[in-house]
Structures are given as C-alpha cells and as structure tokens.
Amino acid sequence: QAPPVRRYDPRDLLDVGCGTGEFSPRAAALLLDERVTGVDLVEWHLELARKRYGTFGGRLTFQQADAFELPFDKGSFDLVACRHVLQAIPHAERVLAEMVRVARPGGRLHLIPEDYEMIFAAPARIDISQFWLQGPRRYGAASGTDLFIGRNIYHHLRALPVDDIDIQYVHVDTQRVPRVTFARIFTAWRDCYAETLAPHLGWAVEKVRDH
C-alpha cells in the first residue's frame, strides 16, 4: 500500500502546525514535482526548518501563519495535513473549518488527532494510571483543549462540508516501535510538561516528573 501522501496524489500540500519540519520534508521527498507548504505560529520553529531543509528549494517552503486564519484563498490545496496538533489547540473545530476552506473541492484532509486517554502501561514501580486519567482531563479543562479529540474527530468532521470520512486507529506499542523511541517521547513530555501539569494535579513537580 502506498504511503497516504502519495496515494492522495496531490499537486500541492499544506502542512498546518508543521513545527520544525517533521512531516513536510518527508512529503516533499515523496512528491517530487509538487509544492509543499508548512505553516506554524512559532517563527523559530520555521527558522530551524528552513535551515534543515533548504535543499528542496522552492518546492518546500515554510511560513508563519495562524491556523485559525490561514493566509490562503479558498480552495488553494489538494491536500491539507495536520498531524499531532489538534489536541493542543483550543476550539480545534475552528481550525478544521479553516482547513476545509483552503482545500479544493475533491481535495483531502489528512489528520492525526491524539487521544491521551488511550495511553496504557503495565504495572510499574508506581501506579501511573491516576496520572494519565487525571492529568489530561484537568489540564484540558484549564487550557480549553480537547486532549481526547482522537475519539471526537469524526463528529467534528461530520459538522463540516466533507465527505468520505475514513477513521483508522494507529496502535503504537513497544513491539511495533523501538523502545528507545518511546523513551525519547516520554523524556520530552517529562521535560516540557512537568512544571505545567503540577499545579493542575496538585502534585509536586518532582512527583509529576517521576510519573
């Protein structure tokens, strides 16, 4: 089966919330004659992406943009992607509406919305179930984000003028993915979010880091 990007056969692709360029350059490598545009709100993310992937020339560009008001005309792209971002955005349905607006008739949305209540772990030194059950709910309520949008994405899309909605659950575990990859993910989460989560859980920062 061909990678989704190639299977969609787009002439041009928009990557919403591209960050430092995790997805955009891989798409550009698959789409040898097409245009790929990555947008993000954080300029230093874009600067790093430009330095890393300048070899693609004009086929791959990065520009600062607000996902709530994308600076593109209606129907500008055959494929609009948004991966691992929607769970971190308040009012994600507004971003989805913008993505639909800039997609051409007959175009596609390619989404990876996460769901933090689908994280499971075997018994360990400490019981982490309380952390994963309470943390995302409390932080989501405080920040206005839906950290369970993975299960709600279908209903958001049904409210928009889109057809042919195809939901595929991606299972990621230590048999399919190297354990070192998991370690890097959790290390990044620990280092980035421990201090932010601690007040919402009512825990000390070190306890959050431990979990």
Side-chain angles (χ1 to χ4, degrees):
Q1 190 177 28
V5 172
R6 187 175 289 162
R7 189 165 70 246
Y8 297 145
D9 191 27
R11 289 168 293 176
D12 36 41
L13 182 158
L14 175 65
D15 182 14
V16 179
C18 66
T20 57
E22 179 271 333
F23 175 64
S24 302
R26 290 193 286 131
L30 288 170
L31 306 173
L32 299 180
D33 298 316
E34 287 74 13
R35 176 172 58 92
V36 177
T37 304
V39 297
D40 200 273
L41 191 61
V42 183
E43 179 59 34
W44 73 263
H45 289 174
L46 300 168
E47 291 175 1
L48 186 56
R50 294 185 191 108
K51 291 178 181 177
R52 286 177 172 173
Y53 306 111
T55 55
F56 286 95
R59 288 201 308 110
L60 173 60
T61 58
F62 296 97
Q63 68 181 81
Q64 189 175 35
D66 186 340
F68 290 94
E69 297 181 8
L70 293 170
F72 306 106
D73 293 335
K74 180 179 180 180
S76 295
F77 298 91
D78 288 328
L79 177 61
V80 184
C82 186
R83 298 160 53 97
H84 307 289
V85 174
L86 292 171
Q87 75 282 351
I89 299 178
H91 308 294
E93 68 279 3
R94 289 172 50 193
V95 174
L96 289 169
E98 269 293 272
M99 294 171 65
V100 170
R101 181 186 67 81
V102 300
R104 291 191 181 99
R108 296 276 186 171
L109 303 187
H110 172 68
L111 312 173
I112 299 183
E114 298 183 15
D115 192 319
Y116 280 71
E117 207 167 63
M118 291 185 177
I119 296 178
F120 305 99
R125 176 177 56 83
I126 52 178
D127 181 7
I128 63 171
S129 59
Q130 183 182 22
F131 174 79
W132 286 114
L133 289 173
Q134 293 183 9
R137 291 192 176 279
R138 292 184 181 180
Y139 180 74
S143 61
T145 56
D146 182 4
L147 276 76
F148 318 106
I149 195 170
R151 72 190 66 180
N152 299 323
I153 194 69
Y154 178 81
H155 306 287
H156 288 308
L157 292 172
R158 281 293 304 271
L160 295 169
V162 299
D163 301 304
D164 190 23
I165 302 171
D166 180 23
I167 304 292
Q168 299 182 28
Y169 286 92
V170 179
H171 297 274
V172 181
D173 57 48
T174 50
Q175 295 185 14
R176 297 175 177 85
V177 177
R179 294 177 69 88
V180 67
T181 301
F182 271 97
R184 288 170 179 162
I185 292 171
F186 284 111
T187 297
W189 285 355
R190 180 199 67 194
D191 294 344
C192 292
Y193 301 124
E195 292 186 4
T196 301
L197 286 173
H200 300 297
L201 287 167
W203 294 2
V205 173
E206 285 308 311
K207 182 177 178 180
V208 177
R209 288 179 61 87
D210 200 21
H211 279 67

